[in-house]
Amino acid sequence: MSETQCIFCKIVDGQIPSTRVFEDEVCIAFNDLSPQAPTHVLLIPREHVDSLDKVERGHKDVLGHLLLTAADIARDKGFAEDGYRVVINTNSDGGQTVFHLHVHLLAGRPFVFPPG
Ligand code: 5GP
Ligand code: ZN
């Protein structure tokens, strides 16, 4: 998938609308179109990266930033103490459908482990 066709790049540049819950110079966070929990937020880097499978050592700060931001959102929205689930689906067996690296932040109900 080229970056010009990538739906999450289009969300970053506003061509596709989304409900943003947070944004800064590195990432944006927005509500998932098809929520799997009462809270289902996606965090994505502004920079296009296909998947966790494609990251390099140079992405260390971006990866750290995404997780730190997920934890901030969890605290800000008040569900950190109850708990939440962070997921990065990767490639086919991982269930990845959009090939722009993203972190799922899910909360508002209990989650089972292992996931299906
Ligand atoms: P994946 O399966 O790749 O880990 O997750 C992709 C996620 O993106 C899915 O949960 C799906 O509902 C969400 N999604 C796909 N297209 C859009 C869109 O256009 N807008 C929003 N907000 N979410 C989307
Ligand atoms: Zn992209």
Side-chain angles (χ1 to χ4, degrees), residues 76-94:
D76 289 349
K77 285 185 168 285
F79 56 74
E81 199 169 327
D82 283 344
Y84 54 94
R85 177 70 58 85
V86 166
V87 175
I88 303 177
N89 296 326
T90 305
N91 287 347
S92 177
D93 278 1

Side-chain angles (χ1 to χ4, degrees), residues 2-3 6-10 46-49 99-101:
S2 80
E3 292 172 37
C6 170
I7 58 172
F8 283 1
C9 283
K10 289 181 178 174
R46 289 182 183 274
E47 171 197 0
H48 181 93
V49 185
F99 282 78
H100 178 128
L101 175 67

Side-chain angles (χ1 to χ4, degrees), residues 40-74:
H40 188 170
V41 170
L42 299 173
L43 296 98
I44 68 173
R46 289 182 183 274
E47 171 197 0
H48 181 93
V49 185
D50 279 355
S51 77
L52 191 63
D53 182 43
K54 294 286 166 55
V55 300
E56 299 169 355
R57 289 292 172 272
H59 292 111
K60 189 165 65 175
D61 287 350
V62 172
L63 290 169
H65 192 90
L66 290 172
L67 290 180
L68 290 165
T69 302
D72 285 343
I73 292 171

Side-chain angles (χ1 to χ4, degrees), residues 7-8 11 16-19 30-36 40 42 88-89 94-99 102 104:
I7 58 172
F8 283 1
I11 284 176
I16 294 177
S18 66
T19 303
F30 54 96
N31 290 329
D32 196 293
L33 199 59
S34 177
Q36 302 301 310
H40 188 170
L42 299 173
I88 303 177
N89 296 326
Q96 185 174 4
T97 59
V98 177
F99 282 78
H102 52 281
H104 294 259

